[in-house]
Structure formats: structure tokens, C-alpha cells
Amino acid sequence: MAEIRLEALKKDFDEVHALRSLDLVIRDHEFMVLLGPSGCGKTTLLRLIAGIEKPTDGRVCFDGEDMNGIEPMHRNVAMVFQNFGLYPHLNVFKNIAFPLQSLKWKPDAIEAKVKETAERLDITHILNRKPRQLSGGQKQRTALARAMVRDPAVFLFDEPLSNLDPKMRVEIRDLIAELHRSLKTTFVYVTHDQGEAMQLADRIVVMEEGMIRQIGTPAEIYNEPNSVYVAGFVGNPQMNFYAARMSDRDGECVVKFMGTEFTVPKSLIPEEQYRNESGKKIIAAVRPEDFRLIPDTEEAAKYHFEAAVRKIVTMGAGLYTELEAGGVVFTAVFQNHTEIAEGSTVTVHLDPSRIHLFDSESKLSVRTLARPEVTSDGTL
Amino acid sequence: MRMRMSIPAKIVLYTFLVIVVIITFIPLFYTLTASFKTNMEIAGGGVNPFPATFAKLFTGDATIADLFDNYIQVFSGNGGWVGTKGNFFGYTLNSTFVSLLTVFFVVLFTSMSAYVFQRGHFPGQKFLYWLFLATMFIGAGSITIFPVLRITTKVGINNLFGLAIVQFGTAGASNLFLTMGYIKTISTELDQAARIDGCSFFSTWWRIILPLSKPILGTIALITFRGSWNNYLLPSLMLAKSQTATTLVVAVVKLQSMGGAGASQYNLMMAGTMLAVMPMLILFIAMNRTFVEGITAGAVKG
Amino acid sequence: MKKKRKLNTVRTIQSYLMILGSVTGLVVFVVIPLVWIVRFCLFSYKGWGSIKLVGFENFIRVFERSPKYWKAVLNTFIFAFGKLIVEIPLALVLAFILASRLKGRSFFRAVYFMPSMVSVAIIGVIFRYFFTHQGGVINEFIKLFGGEPVMWFSNGTTAMIVIMIASIWQNFGINMLFFMTGLQSISPDLYEAASIDGASNTRQFFTITIPLLGPVLQMVLMNAILGSLKVTDLVLTLTNGRPAGETEVMMTYIYKTFFGAEGMAAQDYGYGSALTVVTALILGVVTIIYLRTTKKSGEVYS
């Protein structure tokens, strides 16, 4: 149970700026996910919180206390690693008991606690085995047990699911979610898989090249991405981006792309941005799931255009369809069993309120330009 | 690599190999059999390797004790200078003691240092690393033996214990680099996990890295033991003044050069030689693989 | 929560303590002796009395008034050349044979490796016994086949031959092993491709094996050359330079300079150090020349 506060945190490795002066508050009991591609600094950030890496500048505070110079053990954090990090020469029992031995617990107490934790994670039957005799899922459960056994204030996860096969991934992911619910501890979780982030997080921190791009709940990140980067990172299949033109028409914002004009509601874009503009370049983005063949809202009914169906892939969750309109190729996802054939032409509907607009140069959401976020720092 | 060979070619090849085997065995074989002969027999010559006593065993004219007479003499000598019969039991103990102690020092300090160089971060690290590297090329062992002797004499450690220390000190940095290479294969994730689980830099080594280094340390232990057991020059100089504290190998060589009035005591010398050689051969047969791996691992590093 | 400020300091201190053993061993028994030699080669000191700075006088003495030393140098090179001419091809051929899937190769490999388990000094003892004029096994065999027994040790040439034989016997197994490791690293795919292209075994040997073995060959040969030039124990126990310095080698001469021997008192330590430095330089020059001339075979993969 701890609130983690990062202030002006910077980390350099010789010439490389792994983290550029960032600020972040992770709330007590929160499940916070650090999301981003390889090299964005998320693992470095995790390690700074853990204490196995020292910051070049700035501070890490737990409940207001500066953790500088304090060893991980004394920060009361536990960590679960990508490659499990199990000690190969010790069996499962001894692996789990390891941190308790460091704390100089008595053997009886250790045995009791280890057994209790093992039961919790359903691994009592393999306590005698060595790591090389375990399956991926069993290894990760052991790693979780070892982390839990000390009742830490903060749990850290470094891409714990990457080395598991898909089925095991779901199993352990659900286990982690359940653990968070029952343990009520602060979880900080690093991943590059946006699906995982969306599933598990209370809040997500999207990172790029050592900086925080956006902080928000999964819904916020998904529905109101503050930049092209965040919009493109989250969502599967990826968001469609269009080079569009924006004009002021009688006080209304009209955006044209795919050969079609859409009048965008005022809630989406502050007036100053489009006033008196004519044909100004802008980036429009639409999520594949927001296109409709059958309109579901009044606005969607009003706006439609013709598109040629180029390719259809049945992906289980839906029909991933590649379409072309106005010389632009884009992706849409339609419900399974929709009657649609490759090579045909269909009428596609789009509710303009589902369009995201981004400034052409800064690549930031038009809303961000007007209203910079409070808790994040380091926007380009 | 495979070779498809005709039968006659194979026969030639095998014959060649067997000849080499015989040539390899002959010195050891004759030494072994000579160790059971009397001095007269040895000096008398003849190609027959088998001691007369051996045959007499079957005719009842001799006992097993007679056969092993040389060994008995050599073992139960009254101690003191090798020149009488020497106390080979004592010498064997000495060799064992020194070798074990050397192995202890080498394994302990090498594994610690390799860990520090591989995983550590401290000022002067690079310099020390290069120092070890440089001495590996320059240090020739017998080239600096005299100054080493001066040091040991001045410090006063010309005894079995000191011998082990010096053998450790002059062992060279190759063990270090070998171990470092091995530690490299241990994932740093384990170090991180250990640190989070409450290990200091030292206890990470003690509880995690050291146990995991057992394979390479085992190899190093074997090779070091052999090197110490077989060592001649250093012990012969360091232990020259002592009458009882000599190692086995040195004692055997002394037997050769002493010899009393004229004729060398060949029979005792052979017995002593076998005593010095047997342990290594037995060790080798038992740990064949490890030795081979160890020798080649160090060599073909690039 | 216990706070430990400046935790890095604790880790650094632990690092230093952990390498203390190895570093001390290195400094005391390798670095300091080297420094001693380099220092004393410019001085004159007999172990008692004063230490005088004499500049390069010792070196002048080495180059102008040390015929015995240079004879030893010559002997050393003759020895190295003579023994390697036999040993290396032998090791290579055996390695090649054993690298194929012959039955019983582990047995042969183990047997050939056995001599290297025996102490070098003891090998000297064994072979001295073997080649003894009166009753030595070799002479007895010669007598058996009707020949005249040879006085192996009374003649410089034959004595040197004995030393070479002993050294070959000791070392061929190890070098064979090195070559085998090198051979194993050549991908079998290459041989398969060559076979498909119709190349005979001999052709494959010369176009694939030899070139790709280049780097290994270079390293092993350099190792073998330097090791042969540094031979000490073997000569000390086999002939000790007899007859009359005919089998003296660089290392044994230096040894005698420092420690004295029958018929030769210990010399000035400064002179001995100068000898050491010159010897080290000789070894260095040999290394450089060797590396230069074999540069091509070492760069197979460039």
C-alpha cells in the first residue's frame, strides 16, 4: 500500500537519455500500466521505482519519503520478471522462501508462509520441483508466489506475459487481475501489448522515447488520445489516419477526407482552431470499428460514402476489411456474418463525432493544444 | 566430419593408432613393472618387464608382501632426507594437503574476482582488468621464480602452506577469464531478482552466482589440483631446506639424484614414481571428460 | 524502514574486498617479481654486500661474454624445432583420424591424453631410466634386435634426441585435443557440399580442413612454440644440461645463474636479471615474427 511519486525523474546511460525528466503520481492501490514500444523507457522507469537503478536526477518517493539510496528490500517492493527470474539451482519451495531467508525469518515461520502462498497460487503440488521441470505457467506462478510472500507494498511487473504461450497468457493475466483485487496493493505493470494494458489497467501511462505522452484510464486513452502517437498505439487493428483539409464554413468546422466532407461537432474542436481557415491541412483519424454499413445514429445516417471492398480477413472477433474510397485505402471492422464480398462496392457510414482530429505539425490532438494536461510532462 | 573408407584403409589406420597407443603405454608400463622388481633385476637389464617375484608368487616362493617390497620400504622409511628410504606416506600427505589448499584458494578467490569483474561497478575496474590481462601474456612462471623465492624467504613462508599461497598467486589469470566467461551466461535477471529479494552485492554471489558456477569451478579445481600435484620447480626451491616437508614429485626426483654409493636405487625410484603418478592417472580415468573440456575450453577462446 | 544512505558505497567496498585475494596474489607474486627483474637488471648485487647501479653493463656482459648462454639459446631453438617437426604433424594426423566417426575414439583420445597427466619432472625421471646406458629398457630392446647399445647421455646430439622424444610423448595428446576441437568447429555442411560437388577426401582435406583450421593452427602452434622455448623441468630432471652444457636450455641456464649448480656458482643477480630480460625479449621477438608471418592463416574469416 503506497503512493508512488516521481518528480523530475531523469536517467541517462552514458550518452543515451533513457528517461527525460518526467513526473508521475501512482495512486495507492492503483493498477498502473506503463505502455510503450521497446526502448521507450518503461522498463527503466520500473527499475528506478524498484531501486535497482539509480536516477541521474530527480526523486522517487513512496508515501512522501525520498527513496534515494534505499535498497529494494527496504522499499518493500517485489518484482516479477519477463523470463521469470527463478533461481535455477533451488526448487520451488526454496525459491519462494528466498526473500524470507534474507529477512532472517525462522524456518517454521518460513515454511508456514510459503505453504500458504503456494496454496493461494495453486502450486503446492510442485514445491519440490526445480524450475527447469516446470511449465511456463507454473514458473510464473512461482515467481508470483515469491513476490507475494513478503507482503510488499508495491508489486512491479516487467512484461510478465511475453514468454508464455497464448492460452497461458490469458490464464496468468486473469490471475494477476484477481490478485490485484484481493491484495489491494499498488501494481505497476510494464508491457508493450496494448491489449493487456486495456484489460488490466486502472490507468495507463503511454510512453515514447523516455517521455510520458499521455496518462489516463483505458477509456480515456482509447476515446480521447492526445496525439497521433497514442491514437496509433492503442487499438487493434490500428487507427486509420488521413491527410485531410479543414475549412470554416459559417462557423462550422468541415473536414474533408476520403473524398467526403464531414461537419465536425463543436465539442471535438475549439473554435479558434478552425476559424477563418480554408483548406488547412489537418490529420483526421477514425477507428476501424467506428465505420458502419448500417447507420446506428442519426448523424451516421447523414454521412456516408461509397467504398470499394478490396480484402476481407475473418479474424474471429470480426471481419477485418480493407476498403478504398477517394483514392485512400483504410481498414474497417464489421461484425461477423455481415454480407459483404471482395470486389464489391458498399456504402459506409460514419458519425462525425467519432472522428479524431490532430494538428498536422505537432501531431497533437486539437483538444490538447488548447488544454495542456496537468499531470504529465514532456510533450513534444 | 565423416570419412568413407575402404576396409584396408581402416586396417591401416587402426594399426597406426594401436602402435601409438603402445608407444604411449610403454614408459608407464615398464615403470609400473619395474616398481615391483628388485634393484638387481632392474640393473641387470633384459627386456622382460615382469618381475621374477611375480612368477614366484605362483610357485609359492614369494608372498604378496615380497612383491610390494619396494613400496613397503618407501612408505615406512624413517622420515628425513630422501636418500635413505624416505617417508613417502608423509610426502603423499604433503602433496595432498598442498594441492587441496591451492585448489581452495584458487576456487574461492577466482570465483569472487570473476563475479566482481563481470557484475561489479567500481572505480579502477578497467585498470585492474587490464592488469590481469597483461600479466597473462607476460607472466612466464619460471622466468620470475627467483624474485618470488626472495619474497617467500623474506616473508618466511617457505613451507607447505606458503607453497599453496604462491601456487595460487602464480596461477595466472586464465582461470579468471574462464570463470568470467561462464558467469556471463548467467542472466542478470537473477542478479536483479536477488537484489530485490534482499541480497547485497556479496550475498548475491554467495547465494546465487557461486552455486551456479559449480561446473566451471569443478573443472578449474581439477586442473589446479593436477598442476599443484605435478609441480616440481617451485616446491623444490621453496621446500629445499625442510627435511620432512617435501612433496611427492620433488621427493621422487631427489631419489634420482641421491642414490647413495654409486648405483641409484632404481627400484625405490620406480615405486616412488608410481606413487606420484598413480593418483593423477586414477583421477584422470574418473574425470576424463572434465579434464578434456577444461583444457579445450581455455584454449580455443579465439 | 531502515535507511541506508549512499548504498553504492557499501557495494563498492564489498567489490574491493572480494577481489582483494586475487589482486594481492597477482601483485605480490607476479607484478612485484617482474618489477624486481626489471629493476635489478641495471644493478649489480650478489645477494650480500652492496647493490651498485651499473647501467647496461650487465647487458654488455650478456651479449659479449656469455657464450654458454647463447649456446643454451641455440640448444633451445634446436630442441623446439626438432620436437615440433614431429609432434605437430603427429597431433594433427591423430586429430584428423579421431575426428571422424571411428569406433573407440574416446578410448584412443583418453590414452593419448594420459601422458600429460604425469608431472613433467617425473617424465624426465622415467625417460632417464629408460635410456640409461646400462640396463635401460631402450638399450635392452636394441640388444634384443642385435644392435649395439647407445650411450644416450654422453653425446649432446643423442641426449637432445631423448629430451625431444620425452617432450613429444608428453605433449602430443594435448595438441591433438586442441586440433580436434578446432576440427569440430568446422561445419559438416561444408564437407557435404564438397562431397556433392565430387571432391575426394584428400581434396577436401586440403581445400576445406587446412584453411579453416588456420586460426586454430596458428594459436596452437604459437602456444606450442612458446611452451617449447620455455622448457625447464624436463631438462632439469632428464639431463640437467649434461653432457657439459650440450643440452642446456635458456631457462635452465637462468635457473643456474640464480641458484647455482654443480660446477657453477650463483652469479650476480643483476646479471641474472639481465639474462631474464634478454630471454623475455627473445620470446617476444619470436612471437612477433611468428604472428607477422602467419597473419594470413589467422584471418580465414575476414
Side-chain angles (χ1 to χ4, degrees), chain A residues 54 65-71 74, chain C residues 1-8 11:
Chain A
K54 247 180 55 155
E65 259 189 274
D66 188 355
M67 290 284 120
N68 186 23
I70 300 186
E71 274 291 283
H74 297 111
Chain C
M1 240 197 253
K2 270 183 282 187
K3 283 198 192 192
K4 285 190 196 149
R5 288 277 152 192
K6 302 253 189 311
L7 198 75
N8 251 6
R11 290 175 79 86

Side-chain angles (χ1 to χ4, degrees), chain C residues 14 20 32 38-41 46 74 96 132 149 189 192 225 231:
Chain C
Q14 285 181 344
L20 199 60
I32 292 185
V38 168
R39 174 184 181 234
F40 267 89
C41 67
K46 286 206 198 296
L74 181 66
F96 197 66
T132 299
D189 299 342
E192 279 206 42
I225 292 177
V231 64

Side-chain angles (χ1 to χ4, degrees), chain B:
Chain B
M1 91 134 259
R2 42 213 173 110
M3 296 214 288
R4 277 160 280 230
M5 286 184 292
S6 52
I7 303 284
K10 272 199 181 157
I11 294 183
V12 170
L13 234 42
Y14 270 107
T15 317
F16 174 63
L17 290 177
V18 169
I19 291 179
V20 178
V21 167
I22 293 178
I23 297 180
T24 309
F25 263 135
I26 283 190
L28 294 172
F29 178 67
Y30 269 92
T31 307
L32 176 66
T33 53
S35 70
F36 292 112
K37 293 184 182 176
T38 63
N39 207 18
M40 290 266 288
E41 269 189 282
I42 299 177
V47 177
N48 179 16
F50 293 102
T53 333
F54 193 63
K56 286 203 192 126
L57 260 184
F58 297 106
T59 62
D61 284 333
T63 64
I64 297 276
D66 289 334
L67 193 66
F68 281 86
D69 188 49
N70 292 332
Y71 289 93
I72 295 175
Q73 281 191 57
V74 132
F75 258 115
S76 60
N78 53 6
W81 261 138
V82 178
T84 51
K85 287 143 196 171
N87 176 9
F88 272 67
F89 182 64
Y91 302 144
T92 311
L93 285 179
N94 291 342
S95 281
T96 314
F97 171 70
V98 171
S99 301
L100 286 177
L101 195 57
T102 309
V103 166
F104 172 70
F105 286 139
V106 168
V107 168
L108 179 69
F109 290 122
T110 304
S111 65
M112 277 205 286
S113 304
Y115 168 69
V116 171
F117 276 116
Q118 194 64 31
R119 301 287 218 241
H121 234 78
F122 59 94
Q125 187 172 1
K126 241 190 177 172
F127 166 71
L128 282 174
Y129 180 78
W130 280 107
L131 190 65
F132 277 97
L133 200 59
T135 55
M136 209 169 81
F137 288 121
I138 304 178
S142 30
I143 269 190
T144 54
I145 203 139
F146 181 73
V148 169
L149 251 302
R150 268 179 74 89
I151 293 176
T152 59
T153 314
K154 274 214 175 114
V155 178
I157 51 171
N158 278 333
N159 49 38
L160 294 175
F161 192 84
L163 177 63
I165 294 180
V166 178
Q167 283 183 162
F168 152 69
T170 53
S174 52
N175 286 330
L176 184 68
F177 293 120
L178 209 60
T179 314
M180 279 175 72
Y182 189 83
I183 293 184
K184 211 169 182 186
T185 65
I186 301 178
S187 163
T188 50
E189 224 179 56
L190 293 182
D191 290 54
Q192 291 171 29
R195 193 163 172 193
I196 292 192
D197 284 345
C199 284
S200 68
F201 185 69
F202 175 78
S203 47
T204 305
W205 169 75
W206 177 249
R207 293 168 79 182
I208 307 292
I209 304 290
L210 180 61
L212 289 176
S213 309
K214 280 203 192 127
I216 195 78
L217 294 179
T219 306
I220 291 180
L222 273 179
I223 296 187
T224 306
F225 189 88
R226 180 189 74 165
S228 167
W229 183 274
N230 287 344
N231 201 4
Y232 171 67
L233 203 58
L234 191 64
S236 74
L237 292 168
M238 280 184 77
L239 304 175
K241 297 222 172 67
S242 170
Q243 298 232 347
T244 46
T246 321
T247 61
L248 204 45
V249 167
V250 174
V252 170
V253 176
K254 280 220 178 94
L255 256 184
Q256 175 185 258
S257 54
M258 292 311 241
S264 297
Q265 295 257 298
Y266 274 121
N267 57 336
L268 298 182
M269 199 168 82
M270 290 299 117
T273 304
M274 284 319 292
L275 282 177
V277 166
M278 269 327 240
M280 285 300 105
L281 290 182
I282 293 174
L283 192 64
F284 173 67
I285 293 173
M287 317 242 90
N288 181 357
R289 283 240 115 148
T290 324
F291 269 110
V292 169
E293 278 164 22
I295 302 280
T296 51
V300 197
K301 59 174 162 66

Side-chain angles (χ1 to χ4, degrees), chain A residues 35 194 198 204-208 211-218 220-235 238-239 241 287 358 363-365 373:
Chain A
L35 177 67
Q194 45 101 37
M198 301 293 279
I204 302 178
V205 174
V206 182
M207 293 180 68
E208 184 192 17
M211 291 176 296
I212 296 181
R213 297 307 303 271
Q214 186 168 4
I215 308 176
T217 64
E220 284 166 14
I221 301 283
Y222 190 78
N223 294 322
E224 296 168 30
N226 70 357
S227 55
V228 166
Y229 176 77
V230 175
F233 200 86
V234 179
Q238 207 197 31
M239 184 102 119
F241 293 98
R287 294 216 180 270
F358 301 96
K363 307 278 198 291
L364 298 178
S365 157
E373 298 211 21

Side-chain angles (χ1 to χ4, degrees), chain A residues 11-13 16-20 39-41 44 207 209-211:
Chain A
K11 179 65 183 175
D12 296 326
F13 290 104
V16 178
H17 301 296
L19 289 179
R20 300 169 208 255
C40 70
T44 310
M207 293 180 68
E209 285 185 17
M211 291 176 296

